[in-house]
Amino acid sequence: MKNEFNNNRKLIFRMLTDSVIVGTFAGLFSVLYRFIISKMDSSRKVLYSNFDFKSVIILFTMAIIISFLISKLLEWAPLSGGSGIPQIRGEILGKFKMNEWPTIISKIVGGSLGNLMGFSLGREGPSIQMGGASAKFIGKFFKRPPDEIKYMITAGAAAGLAAAFNAPLAGCIFAIEELHKTYSKYVLLPAFIASIIANYVSFVIMGAESSFSFAVTKSLPMRLIWVAILIGILTGFIGSFYNIMIVKCQNLFKKIDSKILKYTLLMAVTIVIGFTFYEVTGGGHGLLEEMAHKRFPVKYILAILILKLFYTTFCYGSGVQGGIFLPVLVIGGSCGALIFAMLENGINVDQYYINFIILGMSGMLASVVRSPILSVILVSEMAASFQHLIALSIVVIVSYYVAESLEIDPIYETLFERQLEDKNLLVPNETDLGNYSILEYTIVDGLDVIDKKLKEIKFPRHILIISIERDNKEFVPNAEDKILLGDKITVLLNTEDALEIDEYLKIE
């Protein structure tokens, strides 16, 4: 027993040490990508500044070259398309196998070139996937076991989000709520350390400042708490519609067999929008900052909301490199600004304008991703303010409830399931990761295994329960032992069975 304790302590110490390295690399890649994207934002503004024959010819020439490069990058690294978050989850479950450096290079080059053209896609997804890919490379370099590498990938992904938005707590919550969907010290501690290190790297290189320059200066009073409910209802409906449109746009591009026609459509729409409504191009960070410092009229806010929603889902549906977090926040901020514009003439809410925007951001994120705690923490860290937790929590709960009532699946669950349908992306039975996985699960209320002996449980696939942790004591169970509420169980299983066991031992 003492040897087991010592081995466990060495394992945790090694994982925490590895997390420092993982956080450093994830932070560096995220900062590099942020820097390149900022330069591309400036260059894009110049490209679309004049609508004349010369500018159009330059843009069409660039569109041809960039389309060719993005297409080749996606052929070279098939798992680098989209945001990268479903791919990280698939990697953890043993369904996908990223080629680390091709994925990182494709994300940086493809995402940057797409941003230069004006694709309405964010930087957080690529940062998350690059963090996970770099962590996988580090794990393989140090010859860590397959199960440890998966925890390192989780830590790297969390660190990527932390550095992308200067939000280390959100990085930790993301690892638990979105990737593993269960608590474990092997998930939380490495993710926490890697996120802090990555955020430190970001602060040292890019400056110690929050992701947004605006913040709440005065909390929304309880007499106006109904505003949070109103924003929650609106963002719940808009977020659900957004998820539907992502799937429809993916289906649209899947029907186009010709790559030439596919990229021609994408680039043509991008160039038209760039010249007619430039504000909705790119991820939208600058637009959200401008919205926070200016009061736009209702018609203009509606135009931003509608165009950003349709254009973002259109770009993402094409399968190019880029995420959706930042555009979703812009759409959410627009929802908040729209509610404010409709109410400001009737009631005195002028001093709470920023509150409306921040509430809209959280509500939209909650309805799209369906990770309520992440939605509250991420927006709070980005705005460097925790003065509005009650209002944020209410808007998130309402938005979440509306989306669930409409029976619209969370976007990353949908995207993950759709990727599983592509047999070309799945890992073959024999891989260099080995054909087994070690996963941890916390037994929560509602699971069928509670209060049953191990010999009585009919698992959907064959697994081996290595250990059970109960009341801070760990033991190796036998067939007569029961699984109780609150237990943390460690299981060994075939990698190809991981998804089915994952669904069986979790309440979504």
Side-chain angles (χ1 to χ4, degrees), residues 448-449 452-459 465 483 504:
D448 292 335
V449 300
K452 289 183 179 179
K453 295 180 179 180
L454 293 183
K455 66 180 183 180
E456 298 171 345
I457 301 173
K458 304 296 182 182
F459 291 103
I465 298 183
I483 292 181
Y504 183 74

Side-chain angles (χ1 to χ4, degrees), residues 114-318:
N115 184 271
L116 177 62
M117 284 302 301
F119 297 166
S120 179
L121 297 170
R123 65 175 183 255
E124 84 301 321
S127 298
I128 288 168
Q129 191 173 16
M130 286 189 290
S134 62
K136 181 180 177 182
F137 171 78
I138 293 167
K140 290 168 67 175
F141 179 81
F142 287 117
K143 299 180 179 179
R144 299 302 188 223
D147 52 304
E148 281 189 45
I149 291 178
K150 290 173 183 177
Y151 289 121
M152 292 174 72
I153 290 172
T154 301
L161 176 65
F165 288 138
N166 286 337
L169 292 180
C172 299
I173 299 299
F174 172 77
I176 296 171
E177 203 171 23
E178 192 59 41
L179 293 180
H180 280 264
K181 301 183 184 296
T182 186
Y183 168 80
S184 166
K185 60 187 175 185
Y186 298 115
V187 173
L188 181 61
L189 294 179
F192 179 68
I193 291 177
S195 296
I196 293 295
I197 295 297
N199 198 44
Y200 174 76
V201 170
S202 175
F203 276 179
V204 168
I205 299 175
M206 303 292 285
E209 56 186 20
S210 60
S211 187
F212 290 121
S213 63
F214 56 87
V216 170
T217 56
K218 193 171 183 180
S219 298
L220 195 71
M222 291 299 103
R223 63 182 174 83
L224 292 177
I225 207 68
W226 57 269
V227 169
I229 298 174
L230 192 61
I231 294 175
I233 294 172
L234 178 62
T235 53
F237 280 106
I238 297 294
S240 298
F241 181 69
Y242 178 92
N243 288 4
I244 292 171
M245 286 304 302
I246 287 249
V247 174
K248 289 189 177 297
C249 288
Q250 284 187 325
N251 292 338
L252 169 67
F253 278 97
K254 276 187 177 182
K255 291 177 181 178
I256 304 175
D257 294 328
S258 170
K259 287 185 178 181
I260 294 175
L261 183 57
K262 169 184 171 180
Y263 285 105
T264 298
L265 176 62
L266 175 62
M267 291 298 181
V269 170
T270 296
I271 292 173
V272 169
I273 287 181
F275 280 122
T276 58
F277 208 113
Y278 175 81
E279 289 81 358
V280 300
T281 62
H285 186 276
L287 175 59
L288 202 49
E289 290 279 358
E290 186 180 4
M291 190 183 299
H293 293 100
K294 293 181 181 179
R295 308 292 173 87
F296 295 147
V298 173
K299 290 183 179 179
Y300 189 69
I301 297 170
L302 269 174
I304 291 173
L305 195 159
I306 294 170
L307 278 174
K308 193 69 176 174
L309 190 153
F310 281 100
Y311 184 44
T312 300
T313 55
F314 178 79
C315 289
Y316 194 88
S318 69

Side-chain angles (χ1 to χ4, degrees), residues 79 86-98 136 150 153 416-417 419-429 431 433-437 439 461 493-503:
L79 286 169
Q87 292 92 314
I88 290 293
R89 178 151 169 75
E91 184 84 30
I92 292 168
L93 291 174
K95 292 295 180 180
F96 301 143
K97 176 189 172 186
M98 289 185 295
K136 181 180 177 182
K150 290 173 183 177
I153 290 172
F416 178 54
E417 289 172 4
Q419 283 193 322
L420 290 178
E421 296 172 3
D422 187 347
K423 303 302 180 184
N424 295 321
L425 297 179
L426 297 179
V427 176
N429 289 334
T431 72
L433 288 179
N435 61 353
Y436 70 92
S437 296
L439 300 174
R461 298 286 180 179
L493 69 165
N494 287 328
T495 298
E496 61 184 21
D497 299 333
L499 180 59
E500 197 167 349
I501 296 298
D502 200 63
E503 292 172 347

